[in-house]
Amino acid sequence: MKISRRKFLQMTSAGSLGMFLAANGFRLAAQDDAIQIIPSGAELPTADATFRWVDSGDQKAVFWNAFFEKYQEAHPNIHVQYDALPWNEIAQVVPLGVRNGTAHDVFQRPLAVTLAQAVSEGWVAALDDYIPNFAEWKANFPPGVFVEGITGFDGKTYSFPATSNKRTSTHLLYNVEYMQEAGFDPTSGPMSADEFVEVARKITENGAGRYFGFIVGGNQVNRWGDIVLGFARMAGAVCMPVGNFYVDMRTGEMPYTDPLFAEAINVLLRLRDDGSVFPGSLSMNAPEARARMPQGAAGMILQGPWNIPIWLRENPDFNFDIGSQPLLDPDTLIPLTVAPGGDNEIHIYADAPEENKQIAGDIFHYLGTLEGQIAWATYVGAADPAIFAEAIEVADMHELERKALLMFNEQIRVGPSPIVRNQQTADVALELRAVTPSLPEIIQGIYTEQITDIAGALQDLSDRCNAELDRAIAAAQEKGAEVSRDDYVFPNWDPTADYSEENYADLT
């Protein structure tokens, strides 16, 4: 049975969700029953076709493997090749495929590639042309998911944010036994950075070479930036992404010379110098580091909620718990801020065969239905939260996943967006080029002692980011866009609250 999201909201309330779902055939407890292939109206091929999809895997792969099995049963002539790869491999495979004309039909964009770059270089197709009943489908999503300049340009949509972005990728996950032996209890509240370093030292000491206090996927460069940004932003260095760098939207300036960034980097250096980091971390990607935790190799990791269902499924005897990102200042917890839109953006390859674009549109359509969102939430849980809140409410998930979602609700807010304020800043986004070396690359270089002047490196990064933003604005102005640095200044931004329509109105 196909039910629109609007009808669902009109017909249900918190007290009647279960009765409504049961009456309409939704059986959420059993994953096998959650996925139902629903015709979308797409013009699917009748001849044999091979359809290729690549993303970053983790818990998403559990859903997609189950979905593609049922999809191929419903469409026997379509063979699906699904590749779940770590981000550092996506950064190689996707650009190479685009250059050679052999890219996957659907892919996640490499982290260093902006949507504006992907559009301007012809990587991605407009979703409007391939998702059936596109306008109706798009309107089914909560406000702020699809935003001009964030998910599309010039009235066309090129990016489908398949999941909610209200999550952090650097919360604490820890071995309960090791933590108890070290004498700490993260359930009592967020640890301070000093406590984090101390408990890592004690776990390492207790391990006597058999296990260590902390592990990180150090050859996946984005992990360095995520961890430092998590520490610095929650301590008060509030900022939002613009291109591949960050801007303090209260002032429009780059945040990297804020002492909180150097202090956050120093946390990693203290862990290194204490010998608390698992040896070999620099040669691991994030999934490899995650897999070492249930093996007892380390007591703590700073990653995301995708670990929870993976460990529950693959390592049922592993006694672990979760907690907040540790805090530089135990008396200061500033919520992290996310932009309007979503996460896990997926794209249709511009040069994919037309019949494969139709297949992609059919699958994208399913994920934008209430049935698809409930199935997603049932399989994926808190790892990559469903973008429909009502799907999360009724999905069957473990208590640790709900604990993570409650924590994100407390610690994450929606921040201001220059593009929402002035859509012509989308032209600036199209002009922006990636700044390299980036913050994650600099932090990795500092950790490996290839960079010794921390203050100088952060000042240089700020200077280069300022220059690039100024250059992109000037380029957009030359093409007729009415934009300026003032569009990136929101003096009424309170990072402890969601930035609302009223806040935007107050700026005019």
Side-chain angles (χ1 to χ4, degrees):
M1 176 181 180
K2 190 174 188 306
I3 304 168
S4 74
R5 180 171 176 267
R6 266 196 199 90
K7 182 179 178 184
F8 177 89
L9 292 173
Q10 291 168 353
M11 296 178 63
T12 63
S13 64
S16 62
L17 281 173
M19 293 175 59
F20 174 81
L21 290 165
N24 287 280
F26 287 94
R27 298 169 57 198
L28 302 180
Q31 285 188 345
D32 290 344
D33 297 334
I35 296 174
Q36 303 293 332
I37 304 303
I38 303 169
S40 70
E43 297 181 5
L44 298 178
T46 55
D48 289 347
T50 297
F51 177 76
R52 300 166 61 231
W53 182 300
V54 62
D55 65 27
S56 62
D58 291 327
Q59 189 65 9
K60 294 189 296 296
V62 177
F63 173 82
W64 287 122
N65 282 323
F67 174 83
F68 287 135
E69 180 179 350
K70 291 202 171 187
Y71 194 80
Q72 291 172 106
E73 289 174 1
H75 306 290
N77 62 306
I78 298 174
H79 171 70
V80 178
Q81 176 189 323
Y82 171 61
D83 296 313
L85 301 177
W87 280 110
N88 52 350
E89 291 187 34
I90 287 177
Q92 299 172 4
V93 169
V94 171
L96 180 62
V98 170
R99 286 197 299 272
N100 294 340
T102 58
H104 289 71
D105 303 301
V106 170
F107 57 80
Q108 277 190 291
R109 215 171 58 245
L111 295 174
V113 177
T114 66
L115 178 62
Q117 178 183 346
V119 171
S120 64
E121 295 182 7
W123 288 26
V124 294
L127 307 184
D128 316 48
D129 302 329
Y130 297 102
I131 297 176
N133 303 309
F134 180 74
E136 178 184 347
W137 176 86
K138 188 175 178 180
N140 210 30
F141 285 79
V145 172
F146 292 97
V147 180
E148 178 74 8
I150 295 178
T151 55
F153 301 95
D154 298 326
K156 290 287 189 178
T157 301
Y158 295 93
S159 173
F160 175 22
T163 66
S164 170
N165 60 354
K166 287 193 172 182
R167 64 167 193 178
T168 171
S169 64
T170 58
H171 71 78
L172 177 68
L173 300 104
Y174 61 92
N175 182 308
V176 171
E177 180 183 347
Y178 292 175
M179 188 68 71
Q180 289 175 343
E181 289 175 352
F184 284 82
D185 179 18
T187 63
S188 62
M191 287 194 292
S192 70
D194 289 340
E195 288 172 330
F196 179 62
V197 171
E198 177 62 12
V199 72
R201 187 190 64 77
K202 286 191 174 182
I203 291 174
T204 302
E205 183 179 279
N206 292 341
R210 293 176 293 115
Y211 54 83
F212 294 79
F214 180 67
I215 192 168
V216 61
N219 84 343
Q220 190 170 311
V221 69
N222 66 290
R223 296 308 307 157
W224 299 103
D226 290 345
I227 291 171
V228 166
L229 281 162
F231 273 113
R233 294 172 78 194
M234 292 187 79
V238 293
C239 50
M240 299 285 292
V242 174
N244 79 325
F245 51 87
Y246 280 74
V247 174
D248 181 344
M249 294 292 181
R250 297 169 302 183
T251 63
E253 299 299 324
M254 303 301 146
Y256 304 119
T257 56
D258 187 316
L260 292 171
F261 274 86
E263 187 176 345
I265 293 170
N266 193 49
V267 173
L268 292 171
L269 301 185
R270 291 165 65 191
L271 291 168
R272 179 199 67 188
D273 294 344
D274 285 348
S276 299
V277 182
F278 180 80
S281 284
L282 284 168
S283 63
M284 296 179 189
N285 60 34
E288 290 169 336
R290 175 190 67 225
R292 295 278 188 157
M293 285 287 294
Q295 298 172 10
M300 298 183 292
I301 192 170
L302 296 177
Q303 273 199 25
W306 50 84
N307 293 320
I308 299 171
I310 292 173
W311 287 344
L312 290 172
R313 182 183 68 253
E314 298 180 359
N315 309 96
D317 296 329
F318 178 38
N319 185 13
F320 72 96
D321 205 341
I322 69 168
S324 168
Q325 156 96 38
L327 305 175
L328 291 179
D329 179 355
D331 297 323
T332 301
L333 194 165
I334 304 298
L336 294 167
T337 47
V338 295
D343 201 3
N344 282 302
E345 298 172 82
I346 46 179
H347 311 275
I348 298 176
Y349 176 40
D351 291 336
E354 283 300 309
E355 61 267 25
N356 288 12
K357 292 177 181 176
Q358 293 289 339
I359 297 170
D362 184 48
I363 296 170
F364 284 23
H365 185 275
Y366 172 75
L367 202 56
T369 64
L370 180 60
E371 294 90 344
Q373 284 283 298
I374 291 175
W376 179 274
T378 300
Y379 273 87
V380 182
D384 291 288
I387 212 159
F388 289 6
E390 58 269 34
I392 293 173
E393 290 174 6
V394 300
D396 181 43
M397 63 180 70
H398 192 274
E399 61 183 284
L400 281 176
E401 295 182 279
R402 292 207 180 275
K403 179 179 178 180
L405 291 174
L406 287 171
M407 179 173 66
F408 301 156
N409 190 54
E410 292 178 357
Q411 295 189 354
I412 298 177
R413 300 289 181 268
V414 176
S417 167
I419 288 173
V420 173
R421 180 184 188 179
N422 177 5
Q423 290 197 358
Q424 293 189 61
T425 59
D427 295 338
V428 179
L430 283 168
E431 297 292 341
L432 279 170
R433 301 167 185 161
V435 172
T436 57
S438 61
L439 177 68
E441 292 166 333
I442 289 169
I443 297 166
Q444 187 184 54
I446 292 170
Y447 186 89
T448 57
E449 300 182 285
Q450 297 175 60
I451 297 173
T452 56
D453 181 2
I454 297 176
L458 294 175
Q459 180 65 63
D460 176 66
L461 175 63
S462 292
D463 293 343
R464 289 185 289 113
C465 292
N466 269 311
E468 176 54 23
L469 182 55
D470 287 339
R471 185 206 62 78
I473 289 172
Q477 289 171 335
E478 288 179 8
K479 295 179 180 179
E482 296 182 6
V483 292
S484 72
R485 283 290 288 257
D486 291 342
D487 292 318
Y488 299 84
V489 181
F490 296 80
N492 63 345
W493 179 26
D494 174 6
T496 65
D498 288 332
Y499 200 83
S500 66
E501 292 181 8
E502 290 77 13
N503 295 134
Y504 286 107
D506 289 343
L507 295 172
T508 59

